[in-house]
Amino acid sequence: MKRVITYGTFDLLHYGHINLLRRAKKYGDYLIVALSTDEFNWNEKQKKCYFSYEKRKQLLEAIRYVDLVIPENRWEQKISDIEDYHVDTFIMGDDWLGKFDFVAEETDAEVVYLSRTPEVSSTQIKEDLRIKKEKD
């Protein structure tokens, strides 16, 4: 069985996220999503999520492409996740292009960067909602 892993916050889940997950699943038989915890997002990324970790996890678990959701608690866990879950392919969006090449050097996993769905992002949705709220 080929195992694939990807990482992300997946806040304000949208069709760009679904496209990424669908395309990631094509690289293997079993897709693991490492979901950034609220604490990790705040402490490491200075990001406050709209939905809690538990709500975001429930949304991801309802998607047919996703087989397992695990917590992402720190940047450094990627190597141990790949080893612990016997991952063959590590996938990230191309906004991270080159930043995780070290994974291929330190493990047997292939690193793949998938292009993002250009017309949608959680950041843009949040900005659009902020502007709408200011106008109302």
Side-chain angles (χ1 to χ4, degrees):
M1 177 183 338
K2 276 193 83 173
R3 292 172 178 253
V4 177
I5 194 166
T6 192
Y7 290 75
T9 300
F10 297 95
D11 196 26
L12 299 180
L13 193 67
H14 53 70
Y15 65 91
H17 292 132
I18 303 299
N19 283 341
L20 175 75
L21 297 169
R22 177 183 48 78
R23 292 167 52 220
K25 180 68 176 236
K26 289 182 179 181
Y27 281 82
D29 309 297
Y30 192 84
L31 176 60
I32 302 163
V33 177
L35 178 63
S36 301
T37 63
D38 297 332
E39 296 77 20
F40 178 67
N41 276 322
W42 182 248
N43 295 333
E44 297 297 324
K45 302 178 185 179
Q46 288 68 55
K47 259 185 176 176
K48 176 125 176 76
C49 291
Y50 184 83
F51 291 111
S52 71
Y53 171 83
E54 285 304 321
K55 298 280 189 221
R56 291 180 287 121
K57 183 177 186 230
Q58 286 175 2
L59 288 167
L60 286 170
E61 288 173 338
I63 298 169
R64 67 179 176 172
Y65 308 114
V66 176
D67 296 295
L68 177 66
V69 179
I70 62 171
E72 180 186 25
N73 297 302
R74 61 191 201 294
W75 292 112
E76 303 80 16
Q77 79 183 62
K78 290 170 178 58
I79 300 300
S80 60
D81 287 346
I82 289 167
E83 292 168 352
D84 293 347
Y85 292 96
H86 310 287
V87 170
D88 301 289
T89 308
F90 173 95
I91 294 183
M92 293 297 289
D94 65 358
D95 51 326
W96 292 96
L97 188 63
K99 291 195 171 93
F100 294 106
D101 291 352
F102 71 91
V103 169
E105 296 164 10
E106 296 183 31
T107 70
D108 291 331
E110 173 187 16
V111 175
V112 175
Y113 298 97
L114 296 179
S115 60
R116 295 174 60 95
T117 304
E119 68 276 6
V120 66
S121 75
S122 296
T123 303
Q124 186 61 52
I125 291 169
K126 288 177 184 177
E127 180 63 14
D128 292 348
L129 290 171
R130 185 189 64 75
I131 292 168
K132 184 179 184 314
K133 186 176 179 180
E134 286 176 0
K135 288 181 180 178
D136 290 345

